[in-house]
Amino acid sequence: MMKHRPTELLTTEEMARADALTIESGTAGATLMEAAGAAVAACLRQAWLPRPVLILCGPGNNGGDGFVVARLLKDAGWPVTLALLGEKEKLSGDAALMAEHWHGGIEPLSRAEPHKAAVIVDALFGAGLSRPIEGEVADLVERVNKAEAPVIAIDVPSGIDGTTGQALGTAIRADKTVTFFRLKPGHMLYPGKGHCGDVILADIGIHADVLNKIEPKAFINGPDLWRDDFPWPETNSHKYSRGHAVVMSGGRYTSGAARLAAMGAARAGAGAVTMLSTQDAMDINAGHLEEVMLTEAADGETISQFIVERKVRAGLIGPGAGRGVQTKDRVAALLFSDAGAVLDADALTSFEDNPETLFQALREKDVITPHAGEFARLFGDLAEGQSKLAAARMAAEIAGCSVILKGSDTVIAAPDGRAAINANATPFLATAGSGDVLAGIVTGLMAQGMAGFEAACAGVWLHAQAAASFGPGLIASDIHRQLPGVLVSLEKSANP
């Protein structure tokens, strides 16, 4: 069977190493710079006919790329204005070489007039910026952002940290960003993602073999990351061979969340799903559940016995569970069983006063699914001063299990350092109950034997894809109803 290669994400340091390894293997740095500038120029020429373009060049390699763009567009008949931060004579290395090849005028950056340009190219700093943009350059960035002309950023918009996605002071807001070889986390994490516009990935001659030496551990979340582990049923499967999942219901008036989760688990392919219900919610659950089985099991001892007797592979507690001692007791029953655990919502916040107790019980195969508020209740100020990617990784190491740090730029992290950033989210997912369905989907995949990290990544992608396929008007119950269509497409792509 062909193994699919996931799409790596490279930090700015890892990308610099990719450049260095390529240069060491015999490709000149100037060749890479020429290819980068050519990719940006091609992007402009594909989008527009010749028109006045303002190219803002910084003092480093990003500015060198800008000089290449200026030369190629001028040769193609574009009216080019090039403004440089600093003096041409102080440029060094490949940037100085490309500046020598430019035979047009060079204006001081202070004289740049973004409001007069039809297109603006941001070649100021790219990923090389290490301190906040201030002073006259910050003023220029604000003028660029107020201009009506579309902005094309080279590598990352100036002012955005390519590794964290954080803005260093002010930052360019681009309509398009052209980057090279591999995307960086900053292209996918907010606020950086919101500054990039459409991101175009260009091949500039760096061979994928360099990744074997770099060994990146961050990826774009998509089917190529987990497709080889996806649990399609065998031709001789039966419901219990496909895996038995349990979802623990809350009380009578909060049981809807668990029902949404149970349907997510069933749609994701679990062969059998049982709702373990408190006594007071039995009748309302029975009135709403058809495909999902129902058993009264509210205390830890009964839950433990059921998991053993019915060979349950994965369980979920949290949606609508209620905070307190009873939920802690049910969480413990799940975590001290052989079943994999997915903990969400109240199952997490019930431990906010003593999270270490939860962390000690969690196992590598388990998954927790906090949003930002729940994350802060468990991990305190861990996210302060950190990128979302770094915070999720640190949390996974502390908790000893995979973490889904939810949001418009959801990050999934494993305790061994692997991480993925999701790219297919839709804003229509911002609706009550959508997280419950997600937790159920992950549980359903784990019940079929998928490992925690892979199940978390697949669940997040499937959840977002199902929501996107519905679009406006989405409510949580629509997500699991859209899931079969997404799975059909996934199966076809796996077996073309």
Side-chain angles (χ1 to χ4, degrees):
M1 179 184 293
M2 182 184 71
K3 283 284 185 181
H4 295 86
R5 177 161 192 157
T7 304
E8 303 88 352
L9 292 168
L10 298 184
T11 65
T12 54
E13 292 79 10
E14 288 170 338
M15 186 62 208
R17 191 173 174 210
D19 285 337
L21 289 168
T22 302
I23 293 168
E24 288 173 12
S25 69
T27 301
T31 301
L32 296 177
M33 187 172 286
E34 183 74 23
V40 177
C43 174
L44 272 78
R45 295 182 64 186
Q46 289 168 7
W48 299 285
L49 295 173
R51 60 196 59 204
V53 56
L54 171 64
I55 300 180
L56 306 172
C57 291
N61 283 344
N62 202 243
D65 296 338
F67 274 99
V68 176
V69 177
R71 169 168 46 83
L72 295 177
L73 290 181
K74 183 173 182 290
D75 290 347
W78 288 54
V80 176
T81 300
L82 188 150
L84 176 64
L85 176 61
E87 300 173 10
K88 176 183 174 182
E89 292 71 26
K90 292 185 178 180
L91 297 175
S92 61
D94 296 324
L97 177 63
M98 296 306 169
E100 288 300 320
H101 291 167
W102 166 246
H103 300 299
I106 298 176
E107 293 186 357
L109 196 69
S110 58
R111 295 185 188 174
E113 298 180 306
H115 65 284
K116 292 185 178 181
V119 184
I120 300 169
V121 175
D122 166 27
L124 286 170
F125 303 114
L129 189 65
S130 58
R131 61 182 185 274
I133 294 177
E134 299 173 338
E136 100 177 344
V137 182
D139 292 339
L140 174 64
V141 168
E142 292 303 316
R143 286 189 284 125
V144 169
N145 288 342
K146 290 177 181 178
E148 296 182 1
V151 178
I152 311 300
I154 300 179
D155 195 15
V156 296
S158 292
I160 295 297
D161 186 309
T163 296
T164 69
Q166 295 300 305
L168 300 170
T170 189
I172 292 283
R173 289 193 175 274
D175 296 273
K176 297 179 187 288
T177 297
V178 183
T179 194
F180 316 110
F181 183 54
R182 292 293 186 273
L183 268 63
K184 299 175 178 65
H187 293 121
M188 301 186 66
L189 296 171
Y190 284 99
K193 184 177 181 179
H195 283 256
C196 288
D198 296 329
V199 179
I200 299 166
L201 183 63
D203 178 4
I204 59 171
I206 299 175
H207 199 279
D209 284 351
V210 300
L211 297 169
N212 296 329
K213 295 183 178 180
I214 297 171
E215 298 181 335
K217 284 194 169 184
F219 305 91
I220 298 175
N221 185 33
D224 284 346
L225 181 60
W226 38 262
R227 191 197 309 268
D228 294 327
D229 299 301
F230 199 80
W232 298 111
E234 301 291 339
T235 54
N236 62 346
S237 295
H238 54 81
K239 62 183 178 182
Y240 290 114
S241 70
R242 292 188 69 185
H244 189 177
V246 296
V247 177
M248 301 184 201
S249 171
R252 180 176 183 82
Y253 300 110
T254 60
S255 56
R259 290 195 296 274
L260 286 170
M263 289 307 300
R267 293 287 193 186
V273 181
T274 298
M275 177 83 76
L276 302 184
S277 177
T278 56
Q279 191 279 329
D280 69 322
M282 284 292 289
D283 60 340
I284 194 168
N285 280 327
H288 286 84
L289 296 174
E290 294 176 342
E291 297 88 352
V292 174
M293 297 178 283
L294 182 63
T295 294
E296 183 180 342
D299 63 276
E301 183 178 350
T302 307
I303 291 167
S304 297
Q305 184 177 359
F306 184 90
I307 289 173
V308 171
E309 291 179 353
R310 300 299 294 272
K311 298 181 174 60
V312 172
R313 290 188 190 168
L316 165 63
I317 180 170
R323 304 179 191 180
V325 175
Q326 184 184 44
T327 295
K328 286 184 176 182
D329 181 51
R330 299 168 87 189
V331 169
L334 181 56
L335 290 178
F336 289 104
S337 74
D338 290 334
V342 179
L343 306 186
D344 183 35
D346 292 338
L348 301 177
T349 53
S350 289
F351 290 88
E352 62 182 325
D353 293 332
N354 189 14
E356 291 77 15
T357 302
L358 177 62
F359 299 154
Q360 289 169 6
L362 285 163
R363 303 152 300 178
E364 185 178 358
K365 65 182 177 181
D366 300 327
V367 178
I368 61 175
T369 66
H371 56 56
E374 293 159 349
F375 187 91
R377 293 181 196 115
L378 279 185
F379 298 100
D381 59 0
L382 183 66
E384 291 185 17
Q386 301 285 347
S387 73
K388 190 170 184 177
L389 176 61
R393 276 178 160 154
M394 293 168 66
E397 183 178 2
I398 292 169
C401 69
S402 292
V403 174
I404 299 174
L405 181 49
K406 296 183 290 191
S408 52
D409 52 355
T410 293
V411 176
I412 309 99
D416 63 7
R418 289 176 297 158
I421 304 175
N422 203 54
N424 67 334
T426 168
F428 300 117
L429 275 171
T431 185
S434 66
D436 305 323
V437 181
L438 169 61
I441 293 171
V442 175
T443 305
L445 295 173
M446 289 172 61
Q448 297 170 81
M450 210 170 185
F453 176 70
E454 286 75 16
C457 291
V460 168
W461 187 89
L462 291 168
H463 178 256
Q465 198 74 1
S469 69
F470 189 94
L474 177 82
I475 58 175
S477 59
D478 296 320
I479 300 171
H480 70 75
R481 294 188 177 102
Q482 293 295 115
L483 199 55
V486 175
L487 291 169
V488 168
S489 297
L490 182 65
E491 185 181 31
K492 287 180 178 177
S493 68
N495 302 288

